Amino acid sequence: MLCFLSEPTEEVRRFLELPNVTFEVLHNSTDGDRHARQNLARILRKHRPDSLHLHFVSFLTLYPWVAKLYFVRKVFFTDHHSRPLGHVPKRAPLWKRLAARIIGLPLSKVVCVSDYGYQCMTAVDLLPRKRFEMIYNGVDTSRVGPDNGAAAAFRQRFGIPRRAARS
């Protein structure tokens, strides 16, 4: 199941359409308000997914808790957030760290799409560092066999530097 803010265009639908894919609309999902949470609950009740992967929503929402209430086993969040020029990441105050850890308790993993995003997210110390992972540009090339050179060719084609895995 794939959720969008509004109905996907026909081109997007054709590209993503597979026998095991259904489309849902989660209106105002970027707001994270009560109506969006209720709509998410409706979708989770309908589809009963094992995992939920959140993109383009706020890091601190109650979506992970809604997912846990509907027995979603794993909840992932990908950080696509752009920081302003000159942003200097620093550790958040204790009260914010504690609140974020409670809100983010159901999160299985936070995926950062760049080293800078990873550094920013881990510097504020809102969740334990082990729950963060950096997947450059959100494209996981680790599943491509190392012996066939496809991962290296992909990185070279798109100018993606080789990165060490984070733990």
Side-chain angles (χ1 to χ4, degrees), residues 2 4 7-17 23:
L2 301 173
F4 295 87
E7 285 293 331
T9 64
E10 194 55 41
E11 185 178 27
V12 169
R13 215 175 243 286
R14 275 195 314 274
F15 180 75
L16 297 172
E17 207 160 41
F23 297 92

Side-chain angles (χ1 to χ4, degrees), residues 139-155:
V139 179
D140 184 2
T141 58
S142 69
R143 297 177 187 203
V144 179
D147 298 332
N148 66 13
F154 180 87
R155 285 192 306 275

Side-chain angles (χ1 to χ4, degrees), residues 10-128:
E10 194 55 41
E11 185 178 27
V12 169
R13 215 175 243 286
R14 275 195 314 274
F15 180 75
L16 297 172
E17 207 160 41
L18 293 168
N20 64 339
V21 173
T22 58
F23 297 92
E24 292 284 348
V25 174
L26 184 56
H27 296 287
N28 299 321
S29 61
T30 56
D31 296 340
D33 64 13
R34 180 175 52 89
H35 297 294
R37 292 190 304 270
Q38 288 171 338
N39 198 12
L40 176 62
R42 178 190 58 77
I43 292 168
L44 295 175
R45 264 193 317 274
K46 179 179 175 183
H47 293 281
R48 301 281 184 207
D50 286 332
S51 63
L52 174 67
H53 196 145
L54 301 165
H55 291 264
F56 303 107
V57 298
S58 173
F59 176 63
L60 295 176
T61 68
L62 296 178
Y63 291 146
W65 283 103
V66 172
K68 285 300 177 185
L69 287 172
Y70 287 91
F71 304 102
V72 175
R73 288 187 310 117
K74 293 185 178 183
V75 181
F76 302 94
F77 172 83
T78 294
D79 174 41
H80 297 279
H81 183 78
S82 294
R83 279 82 181 173
L85 184 65
H87 173 74
V88 178
K90 61 183 178 187
R91 193 171 194 209
L94 178 62
W95 72 269
K96 284 186 181 180
R97 293 193 318 268
L98 293 173
R101 285 175 189 246
I102 292 168
I103 293 168
L105 191 63
L107 284 173
S108 304
K109 186 71 73 173
V110 175
V111 177
C112 301
V113 298
S114 69
D115 276 337
Y116 181 66
Y118 178 88
Q119 291 166 9
C120 289
M121 289 296 283
T122 56
V124 292
D125 195 25
L126 298 180
L127 291 176

